[in-house]
Amino acid sequence: MHRFFVDEAGFQGGIARLEESDARHAQRVLRLNPGEEVVLMDGAHRFLGEITDMSDGVTCRMVRELPSSEAALRITLFQGLPKAEKMELIVQKLTELGAAEVVPVVMQRCVMRLTGKDGEKKQERWQKIAREATKQSGRTVELKVDTPISMKQMLARFADFDAVLVPWEDAAGYGLRRFSMEQPEMRHIALVVGPEGGMSPEEVHAMEAVGARQVTLGPRILRTETAGIAATAALLALYGEME
């Protein structure tokens, strides 16, 4: 079934209009007709809807609210800023998996450094990718992508989480399975992944000083665009979100 976002007005009296871009897609590409059912999303909920009118945009009526597809375990990925195409892949796949947020971080070994308007433009691009992936994957809530932040700003946010895990190639002896067994009641976990050049020991120690914990993802070295995706998928599976 086709999935669409409703416009900012949301449902008024059980009636909603598709956002302009979605309305054009429904009319010109999908060639939908009044009477057809669609899934509608308003950023917090999912609804089964029925198209009622297509003479001026696309109007739908709400049939019923659908169960949420969101994971109970919220995962935020602090991603050392990689090259652009890698970040796009990370955002897309983290959305599909069910992560809550992706935060680009400027670290010592980042090849790309985005600030000011350049960072804002990239964030808009990444958020658009998350929005499309939200529709494709049937998410209820759109993954949030932040503008790039500094290490100092990232460290200040660690207090917001139940736990902060740092997958690092030099870590050994403590993995995600053991963590999930010791901490079965986690609700909001942060992951920190370095850029292409990895994280420096000084950065890892700074994170540990404010409560982060090193974890291993196994004996094989993962690329930056793989590590966050793999760790997110593993945590969601270990906490029963893939059953």
Side-chain angles (χ1 to χ4, degrees), residues 6 117 152 157 215 235:
V6 299
K117 292 190 179 297
K152 182 178 180 181
R157 290 189 56 179
V215 292
L235 283 170

Side-chain angles (χ1 to χ4, degrees), residues 63-104:
V63 177
R64 66 176 183 274
E65 185 170 352
L66 298 172
S68 174
S69 58
E70 294 304 298
L73 177 65
R74 290 174 50 82
I75 296 177
T76 293
L77 173 65
F78 290 94
Q79 172 66 52
L81 193 61
K83 295 178 181 178
E85 68 276 7
K86 294 181 180 180
M87 190 65 181
E88 292 178 4
L89 175 69
I90 291 166
V91 167
Q92 182 186 68
K93 300 311 175 187
L94 265 289
T95 302
E96 293 175 19
L97 285 168
E101 187 175 5
V102 174
V103 186

Side-chain angles (χ1 to χ4, degrees), residues 101-120:
E101 187 175 5
V102 174
V103 186
V105 184
V106 179
M107 297 182 178
Q108 290 179 15
R109 298 175 181 172
C110 287
V111 175
M112 179 178 289
R113 294 180 179 273
L114 295 173
T115 57
K117 292 190 179 297
D118 289 338
E120 292 174 5

Side-chain angles (χ1 to χ4, degrees), residues 125-150:
R125 165 70 178 162
W126 296 328
Q127 194 65 62
K128 183 177 179 181
I129 290 170
R131 194 170 185 79
E132 290 305 311
T134 297
K135 289 190 288 186
Q136 178 274 323
S137 60
R139 289 279 302 268
T140 301
V141 179
E142 185 177 332
L143 174 139
K144 179 183 178 183
V145 187
D146 287 10
T147 53
I149 64 174
S150 67

Side-chain angles (χ1 to χ4, degrees), residues 204-219:
V204 175
H205 295 155
M207 287 184 267
E208 288 181 308
V210 289
R213 179 158 198 172
Q214 293 183 37
V215 292
T216 178
L217 297 182

Side-chain angles (χ1 to χ4, degrees), residues 22-67:
D22 279 347
R24 287 197 303 269
H25 187 68
Q27 292 171 314
R28 301 175 186 177
V29 179
L30 300 176
R31 298 187 180 279
L32 299 180
N33 297 296
E36 293 193 59
E37 291 185 336
V38 293
V39 174
L40 305 173
M41 298 170 288
D42 65 1
H45 307 87
R46 294 191 310 157
F47 304 90
L48 178 65
E50 179 187 348
I51 297 175
T52 57
D53 184 72
M54 302 184 75
S55 59
D56 178 21
V58 177
T59 302
C60 304
R61 73 175 183 89
M62 182 178 70
V63 177
R64 66 176 183 274
E65 185 170 352
L66 298 172

